Each structure stands twice: as C-alpha cells, then as structure tokens.
Amino acid sequence: MDIKTSIAANPAKVQEEQIANVDKDEDLSKEYVDNRTIIISLVHNYSNYRKANMKVLGQRKETIGSSISSCRILSSNAGEVNAYFPALVGLSPNHADFTTRVKAWLSNIQWVVNENDVPLNISFVYKTKQDYLNFKRREDAIDEEYAKVDRTNLSAIKEAIKRRVDALNTLESEKYKVGHPVNVEQYIIYRHCLLYRDVAKDTAIVNSDPSIRFYIKDEAKEAEKQKKLTEYRMQAMRNFIELNASPSKRNSLYIAIVASRNENVSEALLKSDVEKNSYLMDYVNTNPDKFNKMYSDKNITTRAFIETLIVRGELVRSEFNQQISTADGTLIGSNMNGAIAFFNNPDNKDMKELFENKLKMF
C-alpha cells in the first residue's frame, strides 16, 4: 500500500498507584486500546530565495527516505518482524523470501511530507489493560528520566535524546508480545521516524543541525505535560506563599536552590530579601516541580546549613568527588546525604552546635 494514501521512580510503587486509580469494578484482564496519534511536521527554516519566490515555487515538499541503521534495527527482532511484516509484505514468516522482502520494504521507504502536518496513527491494541499499564509505567519512567536533562545545555539534550530513543525503541520492540498496532504500516513508519536522523525528537535541537528537516509532535502528550505543569505551578505558588510564615525555611530553600544550580552561594548570601524573593519567584515559574520537591525536603534546613558552612570555609567539599570534610580533614560524609545524616545524628549534636555558633559570627 502507498504510504501517502494510508496516512490520514519506584516502578512497583508507580504501578500500584496506577492500578489504584482504575475503577475498582474494571477488569484489568480485558482487552484495551491505547489511542494515540503523533504528528510529523516540516522544519520551517526557509532560505531567503525561497521566501522571495514562495508563490512561484509552490508548496515545499521533503522526503523521509530509508536508513541503513533504521533498517538494521527494525529487522533485527525476529519476533517483532514475524508479528508485523506478513501484513506488509504479503508473505508468511516461513516463506523463503520473507526476510529479503522485509529488508526490501524497509530499504525502500519513501514518504513525502509537505507543509501540512501529517498524522500517524500509532494506536495499539493490548491483550489486557494490565499489559497497557505495565508498558505505560515504563514509558513514563523513560520520559521522567529525559525530563531531568539541563535544557540550557544543547550537548546534554542531544545525548539525552539518544538515550531516550534507544530506550523507547527497546520498549516498543517488546510490545508485539502483548498486542498489535491498529495500523501496522503507520506504526512502523513511526518507529522508523524515531530512528531517522533527519527527524528531531525534541524541538530544542531543530535549529542546531541543518540536516534536521522534520520534527515529531505528540499533541496528547504535550497537552498532558502542560496540564501537569499548571498543577505544579499552582502547588508551587501555594508553597511559596506559605514561606512567608517561615523566613528561616525560605532562606534555607533559597540557599539550597542556588547550590543545586551550581551558582555562587557566597554572592547569593549577600542579596537583599527582595532580591531573594524575586529569585525564588522566578524559580517557581520556571521549575515548579523542582521547587515543590525541595520545599517538601524535610532535610532542607540541614542541607542549606552544610552549603553555608562550605562557603564559609568551615567545611570542605572535595574538588574531585562529593566527599565533605572539616577544615582539618575530619570526614563528615562521603556525599551530601552522608553529611546530612551526620548532622542529624544526636551523637553529633555538640559539633553541630559548634558550627551553628561559628555561623552566628559572620
């Protein structure tokens, strides 16, 4: 069939929470359809010549072709190939020409994308809803890991994309065991796009590489992400307002956030209360989820206490690892968590009070 005409954390705990949110009367052993559509769009980085001659040249068209690496990867899983490709090549897996036809199909992908967004139906029919929940849990974990990347570091984003694509492809390559795509052809093209170099998997890198001509949009996932972001911001604003009742916690949170971003804590301590509040407000708007997490950290005061001692020279963080020691070399902790445990230990109460008194002198 022609492609153009066919296209119209703690894992166990997370799984338990997902199941708990399912209606108690729902049978998790019944078939479940995960309806999903992703969009392939053109990157609109027109040349000045094309901009000036847009009417004459007509609608721009680009072709998603085959890829040696994609062909190799998509044809390497015998179980998946045997499950999906008979419907695409018209041969059964035990036919002598089956493997050759599969590789020929993948090697001859040629799909034209024009100015209009093109949807791909990647809906999947799972044998049971439990199977769906299991795979969703793993996909969410991949997305959560990717979300941790520093959005200001382009190199880090590119490396994270590679890891995410590898993880997603591995996950997708196991789904044939528990179900089948609603539209096999469009699903395989989606898998190809994941592996295709010219398709950006994150819009952040679209303008960083001239070879990128397309990008993937998952509108349902983006809508869900925006919903979560709104919820995070609302909670962050409530937490920020509550800080007014505890200036000491607000200061501890401020110091901990500055340190977590590898910024100069010494300079941050010299800021006025107005400047500190403005800094926290900006962080609430840009990183509400991280703000909420730090706000809920029961050790935030101890964490800020240790960072302040390091800045004042009372404690020393190793240049080559995370070890924290006193100025005379006494080990406090092999890392921040170890140092927090040290100062939370009642046996070290006297030393903690000694350091607290020293800070009062600054």
Side-chain angles (χ1 to χ4, degrees), residues 135-149:
F135 274 87
K136 187 176 188 303
R137 166 178 56 79
R138 294 170 62 186
E139 184 177 7
D140 288 346
I142 293 171
D143 289 340
E144 287 172 10
E145 184 63 28
Y146 180 69
K148 296 176 182 178
V149 67

PDB file of all heavy atoms in Angstrom, residues 135-149:
ATOM      1  N   PHE A 135       3.358  -1.246  30.388  1.00  0.00           N
ATOM      2  CA  PHE A 135       4.156  -0.534  29.391  1.00  0.00           C
ATOM      3  C   PHE A 135       4.096   0.977  29.602  1.00  0.00           C
ATOM      4  O   PHE A 135       5.097   1.679  29.401  1.00  0.00           O
ATOM      5  CB  PHE A 135       3.697  -0.901  27.972  1.00  0.00           C
ATOM      6  CG  PHE A 135       4.346  -2.139  27.448  1.00  0.00           C
ATOM      7  CD1 PHE A 135       3.809  -3.387  27.716  1.00  0.00           C
ATOM      8  CD2 PHE A 135       5.517  -2.068  26.721  1.00  0.00           C
ATOM      9  CE1 PHE A 135       4.414  -4.547  27.254  1.00  0.00           C
ATOM     10  CE2 PHE A 135       6.137  -3.221  26.252  1.00  0.00           C
ATOM     11  CZ  PHE A 135       5.588  -4.463  26.520  1.00  0.00           C
ATOM     12  N   LYS A 136       2.963   1.489  30.021  1.00  0.00           N
ATOM     13  CA  LYS A 136       2.854   2.927  30.289  1.00  0.00           C
ATOM     14  C   LYS A 136       3.775   3.328  31.434  1.00  0.00           C
ATOM     15  O   LYS A 136       4.396   4.401  31.404  1.00  0.00           O
ATOM     16  CB  LYS A 136       1.418   3.312  30.620  1.00  0.00           C
ATOM     17  CG  LYS A 136       1.214   4.823  30.753  1.00  0.00           C
ATOM     18  CD  LYS A 136      -0.229   5.180  30.996  1.00  0.00           C
ATOM     19  CE  LYS A 136      -0.437   6.687  30.932  1.00  0.00           C
ATOM     20  NZ  LYS A 136       0.418   7.424  31.885  1.00  0.00           N
ATOM     21  N   ARG A 137       3.855   2.485  32.439  1.00  0.00           N
ATOM     22  CA  ARG A 137       4.749   2.759  33.571  1.00  0.00           C
ATOM     23  C   ARG A 137       6.190   2.889  33.091  1.00  0.00           C
ATOM     24  O   ARG A 137       6.896   3.819  33.476  1.00  0.00           O
ATOM     25  CB  ARG A 137       4.639   1.628  34.594  1.00  0.00           C
ATOM     26  CG  ARG A 137       5.748   1.611  35.634  1.00  0.00           C
ATOM     27  CD  ARG A 137       5.556   0.501  36.659  1.00  0.00           C
ATOM     28  NE  ARG A 137       5.443  -0.815  36.041  1.00  0.00           N
ATOM     29  CZ  ARG A 137       6.488  -1.524  35.612  1.00  0.00           C
ATOM     30  NH1 ARG A 137       7.710  -1.029  35.698  1.00  0.00           N
ATOM     31  NH2 ARG A 137       6.311  -2.722  35.087  1.00  0.00           N
ATOM     32  N   ARG A 138       6.601   1.987  32.216  1.00  0.00           N
ATOM     33  CA  ARG A 138       7.975   2.020  31.712  1.00  0.00           C
ATOM     34  C   ARG A 138       8.219   3.221  30.798  1.00  0.00           C
ATOM     35  O   ARG A 138       9.282   3.856  30.843  1.00  0.00           O
ATOM     36  CB  ARG A 138       8.281   0.722  30.980  1.00  0.00           C
ATOM     37  CG  ARG A 138       8.294  -0.500  31.901  1.00  0.00           C
ATOM     38  CD  ARG A 138       8.356  -1.808  31.145  1.00  0.00           C
ATOM     39  NE  ARG A 138       9.580  -1.921  30.364  1.00  0.00           N
ATOM     40  CZ  ARG A 138       9.835  -2.918  29.514  1.00  0.00           C
ATOM     41  NH1 ARG A 138       8.929  -3.877  29.348  1.00  0.00           N
ATOM     42  NH2 ARG A 138      10.963  -2.955  28.840  1.00  0.00           N
ATOM     43  N   GLU A 139       7.214   3.566  29.982  1.00  0.00           N
ATOM     44  CA  GLU A 139       7.353   4.732  29.106  1.00  0.00           C
ATOM     45  C   GLU A 139       7.413   6.020  29.916  1.00  0.00           C
ATOM     46  O   GLU A 139       8.207   6.921  29.623  1.00  0.00           O
ATOM     47  CB  GLU A 139       6.197   4.795  28.118  1.00  0.00           C
ATOM     48  CG  GLU A 139       6.335   5.933  27.110  1.00  0.00           C
ATOM     49  CD  GLU A 139       5.218   5.943  26.082  1.00  0.00           C
ATOM     50  OE1 GLU A 139       4.259   5.159  26.226  1.00  0.00           O
ATOM     51  OE2 GLU A 139       5.308   6.745  25.139  1.00  0.00           O
ATOM     52  N   ASP A 140       6.594   6.112  30.957  1.00  0.00           N
ATOM     53  CA  ASP A 140       6.613   7.290  31.821  1.00  0.00           C
ATOM     54  C   ASP A 140       7.967   7.437  32.508  1.00  0.00           C
ATOM     55  O   ASP A 140       8.473   8.562  32.689  1.00  0.00           O
ATOM     56  CB  ASP A 140       5.516   7.200  32.884  1.00  0.00           C
ATOM     57  CG  ASP A 140       4.122   7.406  32.297  1.00  0.00           C
ATOM     58  OD1 ASP A 140       4.032   7.881  31.146  1.00  0.00           O
ATOM     59  OD2 ASP A 140       3.130   7.092  32.982  1.00  0.00           O
ATOM     60  N   ALA A 141       8.568   6.317  32.894  1.00  0.00           N
ATOM     61  CA  ALA A 141       9.880   6.350  33.541  1.00  0.00           C
ATOM     62  C   ALA A 141      10.942   6.875  32.576  1.00  0.00           C
ATOM     63  O   ALA A 141      11.832   7.651  32.973  1.00  0.00           O
ATOM     64  CB  ALA A 141      10.259   4.960  34.036  1.00  0.00           C
ATOM     65  N   ILE A 142      10.848   6.489  31.303  1.00  0.00           N
ATOM     66  CA  ILE A 142      11.780   6.985  30.281  1.00  0.00           C
ATOM     67  C   ILE A 142      11.615   8.491  30.111  1.00  0.00           C
ATOM     68  O   ILE A 142      12.598   9.243  30.033  1.00  0.00           O
ATOM     69  CB  ILE A 142      11.543   6.259  28.939  1.00  0.00           C
ATOM     70  CG1 ILE A 142      11.921   4.783  29.059  1.00  0.00           C
ATOM     71  CG2 ILE A 142      12.337   6.926  27.814  1.00  0.00           C
ATOM     72  CD1 ILE A 142      11.510   3.952  27.860  1.00  0.00           C
ATOM     73  N   ASP A 143      10.362   8.952  30.045  1.00  0.00           N
ATOM     74  CA  ASP A 143      10.089  10.389  29.887  1.00  0.00           C
ATOM     75  C   ASP A 143      10.547  11.183  31.103  1.00  0.00           C
ATOM     76  O   ASP A 143      11.067  12.301  30.970  1.00  0.00           O
ATOM     77  CB  ASP A 143       8.592  10.618  29.649  1.00  0.00           C
ATOM     78  CG  ASP A 143       8.145  10.150  28.270  1.00  0.00           C
ATOM     79  OD1 ASP A 143       9.012  10.018  27.385  1.00  0.00           O
ATOM     80  OD2 ASP A 143       6.932   9.915  28.081  1.00  0.00           O
ATOM     81  N   GLU A 144      10.350  10.629  32.282  1.00  0.00           N
ATOM     82  CA  GLU A 144      10.772  11.306  33.513  1.00  0.00           C
ATOM     83  C   GLU A 144      12.285  11.439  33.569  1.00  0.00           C
ATOM     84  O   GLU A 144      12.819  12.459  34.006  1.00  0.00           O
ATOM     85  CB  GLU A 144      10.255  10.542  34.732  1.00  0.00           C
ATOM     86  CG  GLU A 144       8.749  10.685  34.951  1.00  0.00           C
ATOM     87  CD  GLU A 144       8.236   9.770  36.047  1.00  0.00           C
ATOM     88  OE1 GLU A 144       9.074   9.175  36.759  1.00  0.00           O
ATOM     89  OE2 GLU A 144       7.004   9.637  36.176  1.00  0.00           O
ATOM     90  N   GLU A 145      12.974  10.403  33.126  1.00  0.00           N
ATOM     91  CA  GLU A 145      14.437  10.453  33.098  1.00  0.00           C
ATOM     92  C   GLU A 145      14.915  11.507  32.110  1.00  0.00           C
ATOM     93  O   GLU A 145      15.843  12.273  32.386  1.00  0.00           O
ATOM     94  CB  GLU A 145      14.997   9.079  32.720  1.00  0.00           C
ATOM     95  CG  GLU A 145      16.515   8.987  32.742  1.00  0.00           C
ATOM     96  CD  GLU A 145      17.121   9.209  34.118  1.00  0.00           C
ATOM     97  OE1 GLU A 145      16.443   8.916  35.134  1.00  0.00           O
ATOM     98  OE2 GLU A 145      18.275   9.690  34.180  1.00  0.00           O
ATOM     99  N   TYR A 146      14.252  11.576  30.955  1.00  0.00           N
ATOM    100  CA  TYR A 146      14.629  12.565  29.945  1.00  0.00           C
ATOM    101  C   TYR A 146      14.346  13.985  30.436  1.00  0.00           C
ATOM    102  O   TYR A 146      15.099  14.920  30.127  1.00  0.00           O
ATOM    103  CB  TYR A 146      13.869  12.312  28.646  1.00  0.00           C
ATOM    104  CG  TYR A 146      14.214  13.298  27.556  1.00  0.00           C
ATOM    105  CD1 TYR A 146      15.467  13.298  26.960  1.00  0.00           C
ATOM    106  CD2 TYR A 146      13.285  14.259  27.150  1.00  0.00           C
ATOM    107  CE1 TYR A 146      15.797  14.212  25.985  1.00  0.00           C
ATOM    108  CE2 TYR A 146      13.609  15.180  26.164  1.00  0.00           C
ATOM    109  CZ  TYR A 146      14.863  15.151  25.586  1.00  0.00           C
ATOM    110  OH  TYR A 146      15.195  16.080  24.629  1.00  0.00           O
ATOM    111  N   ALA A 147      13.291  14.151  31.219  1.00  0.00           N
ATOM    112  CA  ALA A 147      12.907  15.476  31.708  1.00  0.00           C
ATOM    113  C   ALA A 147      13.955  16.069  32.646  1.00  0.00           C
ATOM    114  O   ALA A 147      13.953  17.279  32.896  1.00  0.00           O
ATOM    115  CB  ALA A 147      11.557  15.403  32.424  1.00  0.00           C
ATOM    116  N   LYS A 148      14.854  15.246  33.153  1.00  0.00           N
ATOM    117  CA  LYS A 148      15.879  15.722  34.082  1.00  0.00           C
ATOM    118  C   LYS A 148      17.014  16.461  33.380  1.00  0.00           C
ATOM    119  O   LYS A 148      17.832  17.104  34.024  1.00  0.00           O
ATOM    120  CB  LYS A 148      16.471  14.543  34.865  1.00  0.00           C
ATOM    121  CG  LYS A 148      15.478  13.831  35.767  1.00  0.00           C
ATOM    122  CD  LYS A 148      16.129  12.625  36.435  1.00  0.00           C
ATOM    123  CE  LYS A 148      15.136  11.863  37.299  1.00  0.00           C
ATOM    124  NZ  LYS A 148      15.766  10.656  37.908  1.00  0.00           N
ATOM    125  N   VAL A 149      17.080  16.372  32.040  1.00  0.00           N
ATOM    126  CA  VAL A 149      18.186  16.973  31.306  1.00  0.00           C
ATOM    127  C   VAL A 149      18.202  18.487  31.468  1.00  0.00           C
ATOM    128  O   VAL A 149      17.155  19.141  31.573  1.00  0.00           O
ATOM    129  CB  VAL A 149      18.096  16.607  29.801  1.00  0.00           C
ATOM    130  CG1 VAL A 149      16.887  17.244  29.149  1.00  0.00           C
ATOM    131  CG2 VAL A 149      19.370  17.012  29.069  1.00  0.00           C
TER     132      VAL A 149
END
